[in-house]
Amino acid sequence: MRRWIYERGATTAEEMTDLPQRLRTRLGAEAVFGTLSLAAEQVSNDGTIKRVYALPDGQLIESVLMPYEDGRRTACISSQAGCAMACAFCATGQMGFARQLTEAEIVEQALRFAQELVKRGERLSNVVMMGMGEPFHNYENAVGAMRRLIGELGIGARHITVSTVGLAPQIRRFAGEGLQVTLAISLHAATDEARAALLPINRRWPLAELLDACREYAERAGRRISFEWALISGKNDSVGEAERLGRLLQGLPAHVNLIPLNPTAGYDGAPTQAPQAQRFVEVLGRFGVSATVRVRRGIDIDAGCGQLKAAVLKRERAAAAAAIAAAESAETP
Ligand code: SAH
């Protein structure tokens, strides 16, 4: 059955044609092959697929599949419905926290893409836990899910990335798991004051403690750390800011991913333009810190975190308002 699900992409017992019919019937009646139901899907010009799934209790989460020219197929999956971290520019943070996802709900997002890819002769090669939610605020389920991605879906640990807002104690705990997963840290600012203004969690775990925990992970896992930096025009994209970041990361095995801000409804900020972003990369280079400007994918389909869900919610609210209006007008004589 494992082979049917993971290697041939079967999603129902009936497809497992070498099982006795009685077993197939019983499995069909008793086994649950997944609990996510597709609520919305958009396909971008660049091939990016963005989905909103409804969970059994009606919560909505997002998953994205990004196909790359070099053959990589990367799933970006969620770890929570909503998020409690309240980062200023993040659409999910603006929505607040709803609930933890179970281990199975996390794994199933990747499994669905993996099964669909297998059926067309392709393979899910990478998974990034960079969707909705803070994975280390749902530690057990997130780590359990990573172990299943490795053991059951056959994704190499080095092809999995977990992105965290910077929960220092969980980073240290993760260093003890013995997984060679890539750790990505959402940094976005190089001073405590500036970072706390964007990421409230910085008040609890300031930069010094965060970077200590990163050093521990880099040493124990033997991996370079990725640092995420949303480039916000006029806010954190100056030469001076790049120099501060360069000094902060000097000597650490690190790579900086620069992502021009995806504008969201709840945050007044604009993305940095390409020439300014390139200058940022050059300044970091002077400190021996490698950096790349990440290509924004699926930008035509609300692919920024939480944005498609926001669109679905808006549609649902509009439909509900229309239904109420219709009911009210039906009541008026
Ligand atoms: N909670 C985790 C993972 C989710 S977000 C974390 O904080 O790392 C994945 C990445 O996208 C994070 O680096 C996050 O800061 C960034 N991000 C969120 N909203 C963004 C936006 N509007 N524009 C650019 N990057 C954004």
Side-chain angles (χ1 to χ4, degrees):
M1 201 160 85
R2 206 165 253 242
R3 279 198 31 225
W4 274 109
I5 294 174
Y6 297 111
E7 290 170 28
R8 301 200 207 166
T11 52
T12 62
E14 275 316 305
E15 287 171 68
M16 304 178 185
T17 45
D18 60 356
L19 298 184
Q21 184 57 52
R22 274 187 52 201
L23 180 57
R24 269 186 267 161
T25 308
R26 201 168 146 209
L27 272 176
E30 292 177 14
V32 177
F33 284 92
T35 60
L36 307 182
S37 74
L38 192 63
E41 179 176 87
Q42 289 181 351
V43 182
S44 162
N45 295 329
D46 62 20
T48 301
I49 301 172
K50 176 130 191 173
R51 289 183 177 165
V52 175
Y53 288 115
L55 305 178
D57 59 355
Q59 289 298 333
L60 302 174
I61 55 163
E62 292 184 1
S63 313
V64 183
L65 181 71
M66 293 165 287
Y68 292 92
E69 303 250 308
D70 63 6
R72 274 178 303 144
R73 299 287 176 267
T74 302
C76 173
I77 60 176
S78 296
S79 56
Q80 299 179 315
C83 186
M85 300 298 123
C87 301
F89 50 75
C90 175
T92 309
Q94 291 158 17
M95 290 171 195
F97 178 71
R99 75 159 165 88
Q100 304 291 11
L101 298 191
T102 64
E103 185 183 294
E105 286 167 339
I106 300 171
V107 174
E108 193 187 335
Q109 298 168 62
L111 177 60
R112 292 278 285 258
F113 285 129
Q115 291 184 312
E116 291 161 22
L117 287 167
V118 154
K119 286 191 165 167
R120 40 178 227 246
E122 298 177 27
R123 194 185 146 260
L124 183 68
S125 59
N126 297 64
V127 175
V128 296
M129 298 185 93
M130 283 194 187
M132 310 181 94
E134 166 51 43
F136 284 172
H137 182 219
N138 187 12
Y139 187 89
E140 307 275 349
N141 291 334
V143 174
M146 287 180 231
R147 292 194 188 283
R148 287 183 58 188
L149 294 175
I150 296 165
E152 295 174 18
L153 265 79
I155 314 269
R158 287 166 172 265
H159 294 137
I160 298 175
T161 298
V162 60
S163 179
T164 175
V165 71
L167 305 182
Q170 282 80 358
I171 293 170
R172 291 185 195 280
R173 183 172 170 196
F174 193 59
E177 300 283 351
L179 294 173
Q180 289 212 311
V181 163
T182 303
L183 180 67
I185 307 289
S186 298
L187 204 58
H188 308 307
T191 64
D192 280 321
E193 195 188 354
R195 190 164 187 267
L198 292 173
L199 283 62
I201 197 70
N202 194 80
R203 295 198 186 94
R204 186 78 184 82
W205 308 113
L207 283 169
E209 267 186 82
L210 172 57
L211 289 167
D212 265 356
C214 289
R215 238 166 254 126
E216 183 176 334
Y217 188 80
E219 276 166 26
R220 293 186 71 182
R223 303 299 317 275
R224 190 167 81 153
I225 313 274
S226 290
F227 289 92
E228 312 285 302
W229 189 282
L231 282 168
I232 311 170
S233 180
K235 187 108 189 167
N236 64 356
D237 62 350
S238 68
V239 166
E241 197 63 9
E243 288 171 345
R244 268 188 289 279
L245 177 59
R247 276 194 290 273
L248 194 68
L249 299 184
Q250 226 167 8
L252 200 79
H255 181 82
V256 178
N257 281 315
L258 300 163
I259 315 126
L261 180 79
N262 256 315
T264 53
Y267 182 72
D268 190 16
T272 298
Q273 297 304 309
Q276 182 87 3
Q278 271 318 315
R279 208 176 55 171
F280 206 89
V281 172
E282 282 157 27
V283 175
L284 287 175
R286 283 198 243 129
F287 291 83
V289 175
S290 70
T292 39
V293 182
R294 225 197 268 153
V295 184
R296 294 204 288 169
R297 299 191 51 105
I299 203 69
D300 52 328
I301 55 162
D302 297 319
C305 334
Q307 291 172 354
L308 182 58
K309 172 177 165 179
V312 171
L313 281 174
K314 205 165 145 192
R315 204 170 68 201
E316 282 182 355
R317 283 197 202 106
I324 290 167
E328 279 172 352
S329 73
E331 274 166 22
T332 37

